[in-house]
Amino acid sequence: MATGCISLTLRPLPKVEVPLPLFTSTRTKIPTSTLPSISTISRFRPNGFVVCSISSDRSTLGNQIQDKSNPLPQVQSCTWNWRGYSIRYQCSGSDGPALVLVHGFGANSDHWRKNIPVLAKSHRVYAIDLIGYGYSDKPNPHDVGDSFYTFETWASQLNDFCRYVIKDEAFFICNSIGGVVGLQAAVTEPQICKGILLLNISLRMLHITKQPWFGRPFIASFQNLLRNTAVGKLFFKSVATPESVRSILCQCYHDTSQVTDELVQIILDPGLQPGAVDVFLEFICYSGGPLPEELLPQVKCPVLIGWGDKDPWEIIELGRAYGNFDTVEDFVVLPNVGHCPQDEAPHLVNPLVESFVARHAKSPATSSTTI
């Protein structure tokens, strides 16, 4: 979501195999991948199809490096017309199972920039901007009604994306509130989702059922104040600055060196677009809808949960309870990682995605089902 072209470069490191303490029932050894190169992030053009070029100048992938003999696939930025609204998505890769990467609150598909080209070496990878976020349209909540910005709407968007754009079943790889979107989509149309990997799924602690009874009237009054008066816009204006965004990200990233100027720009820029403030206020006032603990028992596909153990917002001690559902095959602790593991620790997340999909994808001899 950068406002201009950003060149990215990678410096070579030897390929090594490091035992990572991903605490499941057994200790898992994951080889660290050598990351070849990454596509330049181009400014999004809403009326077209942007093909990002391979760059070799600066790196945002830290200690991962370019292997010129095996370059990463290019990433394309595209638009899709969904119910009359323009939806931005990114895609890369031409073979293998389809993956849809679903961002969290206030983020967008660029939050998966460290994952898309790597996973695209052996998968068809798509990352979507949920309506209201990123560079997708942001219809005014007062015009479309209170029931528009809900998990049911986003789930419909996700399922329709698989049906009309991918035209195939897909694995959902989700972070934060994107996890609730993925679960709702899988429950609504179980024939579409092959499996879900949840990264620090939102616990939804502001849900009406999780608020103390005596506090509910005050919370409702405060939400009404934010949504329907100038107070909300003043609050948004105070947080929609580079300094505030950086401060918030440094709270939820354990390794604050990953909070770069590029990341701040990726999160902030769409928030400065017309309509973004109203969507922001609408969601923080959204106290209804489904909870993960209600959706997990209804899911028919395999579920894997990964959790950064240093997340200050979604506490791992509470998240562990989700690992007890029969549909959840494992709860993987991601050590020394915060709320956004895919961006803070792609060296842990990318192999986790690859191994999960490999376990549940159809064999090459079996053709994919068209939905």
Side-chain angles (χ1 to χ4, degrees):
M1 193 160 33
T3 56
C5 289
I6 300 174
S7 298
L8 308 174
T9 252
L10 305 169
R11 294 182 209 142
L13 283 177
K15 185 174 181 180
V16 294
E17 187 169 291
V18 180
L20 300 174
L22 303 181
F23 301 122
T24 61
S25 56
T26 59
R27 189 171 186 176
T28 306
K29 268 193 171 185
I30 300 176
T32 57
S33 299
T34 300
L35 304 183
S37 69
I38 187 168
S39 302
T40 302
I41 299 174
S42 299
R43 183 179 180 83
F44 172 63
R45 299 179 178 87
N47 63 343
F49 193 95
V50 179
V51 179
C52 302
S53 60
I54 298 297
S55 169
S56 58
D57 296 328
R58 292 191 304 272
S59 171
T60 58
L61 293 191
N63 297 327
Q64 324 244 0
I65 150 97
Q66 181 174 359
D67 176 2
K68 294 182 180 179
S69 65
N70 184 25
L72 292 179
Q74 293 186 8
V75 179
Q76 296 174 328
S77 186
C78 319
T79 58
W80 165 52
N81 187 307
W82 180 64
R83 301 182 182 179
Y85 300 110
S86 178
I87 302 298
R88 193 275 288 253
Y89 69 94
Q90 300 183 59
C91 58
S92 186
S94 57
D95 297 304
L99 316 180
V100 184
L101 315 183
V102 188
H103 63 79
F105 173 62
N108 61 85
S109 58
D110 287 330
H111 212 189
W112 299 94
R113 70 201 183 284
K114 300 178 183 178
N115 317 100
I116 298 171
V118 178
L119 296 172
K121 290 191 294 183
S122 54
H123 307 83
R124 291 170 291 142
V125 183
Y126 302 82
I128 191 170
D129 287 0
L130 297 174
I131 192 164
Y133 294 101
Y135 292 101
S136 290
D137 279 350
K138 300 168 181 61
N140 191 305
H142 299 289
D143 297 333
V144 294
D146 293 341
S147 60
F148 188 80
Y149 288 107
T150 65
F151 290 108
E152 289 79 7
T153 296
W154 290 315
S156 294
Q157 179 189 349
L158 185 55
N159 283 331
D160 284 348
F161 183 77
C162 294
R163 179 178 293 107
Y164 298 117
V165 178
I166 303 176
K167 300 179 180 179
D168 199 357
E169 305 164 311
F171 289 86
F172 299 159
I173 315 300
C174 313
N175 176 227
S176 191
I177 67 156
V180 186
V181 174
L183 288 175
Q184 180 66 62
V187 168
T188 304
E189 299 195 56
Q191 77 278 10
I192 290 177
C193 184
K194 292 280 292 174
I196 308 177
L197 199 161
L198 304 172
L199 297 168
N200 290 64
I201 186 174
S202 172
L203 297 165
R204 302 211 64 206
M205 296 308 293
L206 291 179
H207 194 277
I208 186 69
T209 61
K210 295 187 177 182
Q211 298 170 12
W213 65 268
F214 54 84
R216 291 176 187 176
F218 300 101
I219 294 172
S221 297
F222 181 65
Q223 289 174 330
N224 183 63
L225 184 71
L226 289 177
R227 180 189 284 155
N228 299 313
T229 72
V231 173
K233 288 182 169 60
L234 288 172
F235 170 67
F236 181 81
K237 186 177 180 180
S238 72
V239 299
T241 67
E243 297 76 19
S244 294
V245 170
R246 183 179 296 276
S247 175
I248 292 167
L249 289 169
C250 284
Q251 291 175 27
C252 68
Y253 278 58
H254 181 66
D255 178 5
T256 56
S257 71
Q258 299 300 315
V259 181
T260 61
D261 291 343
E262 180 198 14
L263 177 61
V264 171
Q265 189 177 12
I266 280 171
I267 300 299
L268 177 62
D269 283 356
L272 302 178
Q273 289 195 329
V277 57
D278 297 299
V279 177
F280 172 86
L281 295 173
E282 185 71 12
F283 185 77
I284 64 176
C285 296
Y286 178 36
S287 297
L291 293 165
E293 52 266 37
E294 296 170 343
L295 295 172
L296 279 167
Q298 303 178 60
V299 173
K300 305 300 183 185
C301 63
V303 178
L304 177 65
I305 298 178
W307 211 286
D309 66 350
K310 302 299 183 185
D311 187 344
W313 296 347
E314 312 293 352
I315 307 302
I316 191 169
E317 285 72 21
L318 298 176
R320 284 184 190 277
Y322 293 155
N324 296 327
F325 286 93
D326 291 340
T327 51
V328 177
E329 66 178 33
D330 207 351
F331 184 99
V332 180
V333 176
L334 304 172
N336 299 312
V337 180
H339 183 63
C340 307
Q342 78 278 8
D343 187 58
E344 185 179 345
H347 61 288
L348 299 182
V349 170
N350 290 337
L352 194 64
V353 173
E354 292 168 341
S355 62
F356 173 67
V357 172
R359 285 197 300 275
H360 299 290
K362 291 180 178 179
S363 65
T366 307
S367 58
S368 298
T369 301
T370 301
I371 58 173

